[in-house]
Amino acid sequence: MRIDSIDIYHLALPYRVPQSTPWGPADSLQTVLVRLESGGVAGWGEASPGSAPTAAAEWAGGVFLCLRDWLAPRVAGGTFDSGDQLHERLDPVRGNRFAKAALDLAWWDLHARLKGQPLHQVLGGDKQAIEVGVSFDRTDSIDEFLDSIGRAFSDGYGRVELKFRPGWDVQMINTVRHVYPSERIHIDVEGGLTLGYMELLCRLDDFCLAMVEQPLPADDLVGHAMVQETVRTPLCLDESITTLAQAEMALELHSAKYINLKPGRVGGLTTALAIHDACHHACIPCWVGGMPQSGIGVRHGLALAAKPNCSYPADYIPADTLFGLDLVEPLLPVRESADDVLRVPLWSAPGIGAEPQPEVLEKHLVAHARVA
């Protein structure tokens, strides 16, 4: 397909409730949308690395400039019949995976719309609804924390993720396990430990966790392999997985028994699909993690989660708890009577099945650029 024009939108979406971040409270999420047009048909992608270069090296403002000044001019007017061809054109620009992901995601949406098929079908998904789970961070009181977990399980969520932090660690998990002894729970350490904490990591085997996510820093694949060889609990890699090469190295080293896939972090669906297939071949299951983003990015993630090897409940952040008004109609989970499990039904319309509401897009616009 020939890319006739590219629109880039830098947005600030107001949070319903200010969010706590490493640099202080945030009233809004800055994110970047990309619209690719070909023959009068348009596809949408989103890059949501955050509002500042803290969680990752990229941030929304930088992504907008990288797309406007470097990446979009390399793509506009070109013809790309596959995601791989698109990435070949982008390869001379080093890094900037979130910015590349916005173009890649928009290409896949456009590709699916031109085929007249939902994106999850074009990607080879075999599910019509995605089982989902939720995440909980530290709260002011343990009672409030336990109540939130209990409501999630009562609502039918397939699993709960608990953030593991200094002062909110083994004792917290011990308390949760006493109240919920058999529910599916995993913890996310976000790279906060080192091999010096091996005794603590071994203690986590006592709690029958579904997994321990990213216990060590992102670049320590060998250390993760040493931990996984020592403990019974499956490890999951998240921040470590940024490229296909990193994923293949982790698989070769046996660094983990799960991989968390985030399309934005790895440069889009093209790379995410390659990582999924490599994990499938190695018999290592995947699951799709989430991050604050609009419904555009959510739909891309759910489409990927329909793939056969994505066998663990995907992240789900209820849109009505995050934003006052999302860019698209939110996809709401439904509790299925057959097994009492909460799942998000997928759509039947082409592509991601939705487009941003123009009035919402305009209201929260920070900057706009068109490259043709």
Side-chain angles (χ1 to χ4, degrees):
M1 73 183 75
R2 183 184 188 277
I3 305 302
D4 299 326
S5 64
I6 303 174
D7 286 281
I8 311 158
Y9 303 88
H10 181 186
L11 305 172
L13 302 177
Y15 286 124
R16 182 178 290 275
V17 177
Q19 303 291 300
S20 176
T21 71
W23 60 93
D27 294 326
S28 63
L29 171 72
Q30 293 195 32
T31 188
V32 178
L33 296 189
V34 165
R35 179 182 182 272
L36 297 186
E37 183 170 335
S38 177
V41 179
W44 292 84
E46 179 174 10
S48 186
S51 303
T54 51
E58 292 176 81
W59 76 103
V63 165
F64 176 82
L65 294 176
C66 183
L67 283 163
R68 185 193 69 183
D69 297 344
W70 297 100
L71 297 180
R74 297 188 65 86
V75 173
T79 298
F80 306 95
D81 295 324
S82 70
D84 288 330
Q85 289 181 5
L86 177 70
H87 278 273
E88 287 174 10
R89 184 68 62 87
L90 300 177
D91 277 347
V93 177
R94 298 290 184 90
N96 291 283
R97 284 183 289 271
F98 276 96
K100 292 176 180 178
L103 286 167
D104 179 272
L105 295 167
W107 183 90
W108 277 101
D109 182 31
L110 176 58
H111 173 60
R113 289 176 191 264
L114 289 171
K115 290 174 69 72
Q117 298 177 8
L119 179 59
H120 53 89
Q121 289 183 10
V122 172
L123 295 180
D126 62 356
K127 306 180 185 76
Q128 294 304 314
I130 306 302
E131 187 177 359
V132 290
V134 287
S135 175
F136 294 105
D137 208 335
R138 185 201 301 251
T139 57
D140 292 335
S141 75
I142 191 66
D143 289 336
E144 178 187 353
F145 192 65
L146 294 171
D147 288 345
S148 297
I149 295 170
R151 284 194 299 271
F153 286 129
S154 296
D155 288 342
Y157 283 101
R159 55 83 180 161
V160 159
E161 173 190 280
L162 308 178
K163 298 297 185 182
F164 186 92
R165 306 190 184 283
W168 194 256
D169 39 45
V170 174
Q171 185 175 353
M172 175 272 292
I173 299 170
N174 186 53
T175 302
V176 171
R177 262 299 177 227
H178 274 87
V179 178
Y180 305 104
S182 60
E183 301 287 5
R184 183 159 54 176
I185 294 170
H186 79 262
I187 63 169
D188 183 7
V189 187
E190 296 182 329
L193 300 178
T194 66
L195 288 176
Y197 288 87
M198 186 67 83
E199 182 179 349
L200 183 151
L201 289 164
C202 290
R203 287 183 62 193
L204 296 176
D205 280 342
D206 296 337
F207 301 109
C208 299
L209 298 169
M211 67 180 73
V212 175
E213 185 176 353
Q214 199 66 47
L216 307 181
D219 58 356
D220 195 358
L221 293 179
V222 172
H224 280 98
M226 294 170 65
V227 174
Q228 186 63 92
E229 187 178 26
T230 305
V231 303
R232 298 189 308 272
T233 305
L235 300 189
C236 172
L237 294 181
D238 179 10
E239 287 87 353
S240 292
I241 305 303
T242 57
T243 65
L244 175 60
Q246 286 291 98
E248 290 175 336
M249 187 181 302
L251 294 172
E252 181 71 23
L253 291 169
H254 303 286
S255 299
K257 295 181 179 178
Y258 283 93
I259 296 295
N260 182 337
L261 278 177
K262 288 182 174 150
R265 178 172 287 152
V266 302
L269 285 171
T270 300
T271 305
L273 291 169
I275 294 172
H276 167 278
D277 292 347
C279 290
H280 201 176
H281 184 263
C283 298
I284 297 296
C286 302
W287 61 285
V288 177
M291 55 184 63
Q293 58 189 343
S294 81
I296 299 294
V298 168
R299 285 172 179 257
H300 280 284
L302 289 171
L304 177 62
K307 292 285 290 179
N309 197 44
C310 292
S311 56
Y312 191 73
D315 268 340
Y316 180 76
I317 304 174
D320 59 349
T321 67
L322 192 60
F323 303 118
L325 184 63
D326 202 350
L327 291 169
V328 299
E329 189 70 23
L331 292 165
L332 302 178
V334 175
R335 194 165 187 171
E336 298 187 0
S337 57
D339 56 10
D340 219 26
V341 171
L342 206 62
R343 293 183 176 87
V344 176
L346 298 177
W347 53 94
S348 58
I352 60 171
E355 295 190 15
Q357 303 176 58
E359 63 276 11
V360 180
L361 196 66
E362 182 65 29
K363 181 177 181 180
H364 302 305
L365 189 65
V366 175
H368 169 249
R370 167 167 282 199
V371 180

